[in-house]
Amino acid sequence: MAHKLNSMAMILFLLLASTAKAEPGVFDVTTATYGAKPGPDITQALAKAWNDACASPSASIVVVPSGTYKLREASFKGPCKAPIEIQVQGILQAPTDGSKLTKKDTWVGFEHINMLSLSGGGTFDGQGALSWSKNDCNKNKNCKSNAINLRFNFITNSTVQDITSLNSKNFHMNVFGCKNVTFQHVNITAPGESVNTDGIHIGRSTAINITDANIGTGDDCVSIGHGSKEITVTKVTCGPGHGISIGSLGKYLNEEPVVGIRVNNCTLRNTQNGVRIKTWPASPSASTASDIHFEDIIMINVGNPVLIDQNYCPWNQCKKNVPSRVKISNVSFMNIKGSSATPLAVKIVCSSCIPCENVELADIDLTYSGKKGPLTSRCSNVKPTITRVTKALACATTAGLKK
Ligand SMILES: *[C@@H]1O[C@H](CO)[C@@H](O)[C@H](O)[C@H]1NC(C)=O
Ligand SMILES: *[C@@H]1O[C@H](CO)[C@@H](O)[C@H](O)[C@H]1NC(C)=O
Ligand SMILES: *[C@@H]1O[C@H](CO)[C@@H](O)[C@H](O)[C@H]1NC(C)=O
Ligand SMILES: *[C@@H]1O[C@H](CO)[C@@H](O)[C@H](O)[C@H]1NC(C)=O
Ligand SMILES: *[C@@H]1O[C@H](CO)[C@@H](O)[C@H](O)[C@H]1NC(C)=O
Ligand SMILES: *[C@@H]1O[C@H](CO)[C@@H](O)[C@H](O)[C@H]1NC(C)=O
C-alpha cells in the first residue's frame, strides 16, 4: 500500500514538474555580480551579464533597469543555449565621438542568435549630432562610414519590440542575414536634416515584419536591399525622411533577387518621397525585383508619392546613359491617397533595356495644391494596368513603350 502511494506521489510530482513553466533566470546588470549603476559606462557589466545569460541552459533575461547609462559598445554574440531576452528599460548613451567606439561601424551588435527578444521600453541613444556634422559621404565616395546604432546579423526566430532608437550616427537598425524577425512598437527618431540616418535597412533576409512603428529620420524610413524576401511593412508612420524604399538595387555585382514585399496601411508625412523602387543605371550584372505591393497608403504633403526610378544616380556617381539591368515585375500600387508636395505625383520610369512588366496602378487619389504647375504623371518603358485613377495621374505623359 505504502509502495503504491509512493509511486502515485511520484507520478503526480512528474506531472507537475512537466507542466510548471520554469521561470527564466534574471541577469540584472545592476546587481552586485555585475555592478553597473546609472551614470558611468556599463560596457563590461553588460558583456558579463550577457555571457552568463547566453551560457544558461534555460531561458534567461538580461535586464538594464531604468536610469541613464553610458555604453561604449555592446556585442551580443550567440549562439546561446536557450531563448534569451534583453530588457532595456533605461537609456543607453553612445560616446558622442565616433572614434571612441571599439568597432567603427557598430555601436550595439547582435549576432548569430536564435530566439532573441529585445524589449523593455528603453532607448538606444546614438548621440549622432557630431558625426553628422563631419559626414561628407554626399561628396566623398571613400568617406568613413559611421556606426550603426543596432546591427542584427544572422538573427532568427526573434522579436524586437517596445524600444526607441534615437539619433544614430548612421543607419538606426541594420538587418542582415536574418530570418523570421518581427519588429513592433519601435520608435526611431533623428532630425530631418541628419545625414544617412535610415530607420531600418534590410538586406539578404527572409520573413521580416515591421509593424506599428514610428520612424522619423534624415533618410529612408525603411529601405529594402537585395536578397530580401517575404518582407511585410504594416502600420508604419514615416516622416520626416526620404520615404519607404526598395533599393537602391543594381549597384553591385551579383545582387540577389528582391521578392515578396508588402507595404500596407502606412502613413507618410512630409517625406521627400513616398513609396518607391530605385535602381542604378549601368548595373554591373542583371538582377530582379518582383512581387512588390504597396496598398492602403496615406500621403500627407509627400514629394514623389508613387515612384519607380530606374535612373537613380545621386551626385552623378554613375553613367546615366547606360540603362539599369534590374528587371522589375509584378508590382502594384493600390489605394494610395492624400496630398503630393510635387506636381509630378506618379512617376514610373523603367529601364529602356529591360522594361517593367506587370505593373498595376489602382485607386490612386492624390492632390497637389502648390504653385509649380498642374498635377501630373509620367511613365516610360512600362505599360501599366490602370484602374480608377484620374487622367492626370494615369501616365499623362509617356515615353518608351508604345501605348
Ligand atoms: C518565428 O519565430 C517565432 C518565435 O519568435 C516562432 O514561434 C515561430 O514558430 C517562427 N516561425 C517560423 C515559420 O519559423
Ligand atoms: C526557427 O524556428 C523554426 C520553426 O520553429 C525552426 O524550424 C528553425 O530551425 C529555427 N531556426 C533556427 C536557426 O533555430
Ligand atoms: C513611441 O512613441 C509613441 C508616440 O510618441 C509613444 O506613445 C510610445 O510609447 C513610444 N514607444 C516606445 C517604445 O517608446
Ligand atoms: C508577417 O506578416 C505577414 C502578413 O501580415 C504574416 O502572414 C506573417 O506570418 C508574419 N510573419 C511573422 C514572422 O510574424
Ligand atoms: C489595412 O487595415 C484595414 C483596417 O484594419 C484592413 O481592413 C486592410 O485589410 C488593411 N490592408 C491591407 C492591405 O492589409
Ligand atoms: C508574375 O506574376 C505572374 C502571374 O501571376 C506569374 O506567372 C509570374 O511568375 C510572376 N513573375 C515573377 C518574376 O514573379
Side-chain angles (χ1 to χ4, degrees):
M1 190 63 186
H3 174 73
K4 213 168 184 181
L5 264 180
N6 265 345
S7 56
M8 290 274 288
M10 192 62 190
I11 286 167
L12 200 65
F13 172 78
L14 285 176
L15 265 175
L16 281 174
S18 64
T19 51
K21 220 175 140 205
E23 285 292 310
V26 174
F27 299 79
D28 181 333
V29 293
T30 59
T31 54
T33 318
Y34 304 114
K37 51 180 189 288
D41 188 276
I42 65 163
T43 301
Q44 298 302 330
L46 187 54
K48 270 166 80 185
W50 169 262
N51 286 341
D52 291 350
C54 185
S56 158
S58 59
S60 54
I61 310 184
V62 173
V63 178
V64 179
S66 58
T68 301
Y69 308 82
K70 298 217 167 14
L71 179 69
R72 197 181 65 252
E73 63 134 6
S75 174
F76 300 111
K77 285 210 174 92
C80 297
K81 293 231 166 75
I84 190 160
E85 190 171 334
I86 303 180
Q87 273 186 21
V88 175
Q89 295 157 8
I91 300 170
L92 298 173
Q93 292 177 329
T96 53
D97 179 354
S99 68
K100 296 261 156 63
L101 293 166
T102 315
K103 268 195 192 151
K104 302 293 169 270
D105 69 348
T106 310
W107 177 37
V108 174
F110 302 85
E111 238 173 54
H112 296 287
I113 308 163
N114 184 41
M115 303 282 272
L116 166 74
S117 162
L118 172 63
S119 65
T123 297
F124 292 84
D125 183 354
Q127 306 211 90
L130 184 69
S131 301
W132 307 328
S133 70
K134 290 183 179 166
N135 184 305
D136 62 351
C137 291
N138 55 348
K139 308 187 268 274
N140 178 4
K141 253 190 180 172
N142 306 311
C143 65
K144 271 192 292 180
S145 77
N146 292 319
I148 287 173
N149 254 9
L150 300 167
R151 215 184 254 280
F152 301 91
N153 289 347
F154 311 102
I155 302 301
T156 51
N157 299 332
S158 296
T159 60
V160 174
Q161 60 186 350
D162 300 306
I163 59 153
T164 295
S165 178
L166 186 65
N167 296 338
S168 182
K169 293 175 168 59
N170 194 333
F171 292 9
H172 281 84
M173 300 190 191
N174 195 69
V175 178
F176 181 83
C178 294
K179 190 166 183 186
N180 186 22
V181 182
T182 298
F183 292 81
Q184 60 185 350
H185 302 135
V186 163
N187 287 343
I188 300 180
T189 307
E193 61 280 3
S194 59
V195 196
N196 235 6
T197 52
D198 294 52
I200 304 179
H201 178 77
I202 301 168
R204 292 196 186 226
S205 295
T206 303
I208 309 298
N209 277 6
I210 303 175
T211 181
D212 290 302
N214 227 310
I215 304 177
T217 71
D219 211 308
D220 289 337
C221 175
V222 173
S223 57
I224 298 174
H226 73 101
S228 299
K229 302 184 173 74
E230 296 169 42
I231 313 293
T232 305
V233 178
T234 100
K235 292 187 262 173
V236 172
T237 301
C238 300
H242 297 181
I244 296 177
S245 182
I246 314 298
S248 54
L249 304 175
K251 189 178 186 187
Y252 304 104
L253 199 61
N254 302 328
E255 292 188 0
E256 291 175 20
V258 169
V259 57
I261 314 292
R262 289 197 147 58
V263 176
N264 56 53
N265 279 309
C266 294
T267 300
L268 291 95
R269 188 178 284 114
N270 302 327
T271 49
Q272 276 184 16
N273 306 283
V275 288
R276 69 172 159 166
I277 303 175
K278 53 181 176 180
T279 81
W280 293 77
S283 330
S285 59
S287 62
T288 64
S290 63
D291 191 13
I292 299 173
H293 307 281
F294 302 96
E295 189 172 354
D296 300 336
I297 314 278
I298 295 172
M299 305 283 178
I300 304 166
N301 191 38
V302 164
N304 314 306
V306 172
L307 178 60
I308 294 181
D309 181 5
Q310 293 214 260
N311 250 322
Y312 178 74
C313 181
W315 326 300
N316 276 319
Q317 291 180 1
C318 56
K319 291 188 196 124
K320 253 192 144 164
N321 50 345
V322 183
S324 174
R325 289 167 71 200
V326 180
K327 175 166 181 154
I328 295 178
S329 63
N330 295 8
V331 174
S332 66
F333 296 93
M334 289 163 69
N335 191 29
I336 299 185
K337 298 195 154 65
S339 57
S340 176
T342 50
L344 187 58
V346 173
K347 177 178 165 188
I348 316 257
V349 172
C350 297
S351 165
S352 62
C353 87
I354 313 172
C356 296
E357 259 176 31
N358 200 6
V359 173
E360 188 179 356
L361 295 173
D363 302 291
I364 312 279
D365 185 2
L366 296 162
T367 58
Y368 173 69
S369 56
K371 297 193 174 76
K372 291 180 197 149
L375 185 71
T376 188
S377 51
R378 180 160 85 233
C379 299
S380 52
N381 305 306
V382 58
K383 226 175 127 182
T385 312
I386 299 176
T387 329
R388 292 180 300 273
V389 179
T390 55
K391 212 170 164 189
L393 297 175
C395 298
T397 61
T398 59
L401 286 186
K402 294 277 168 293
K403 262 209 160 177

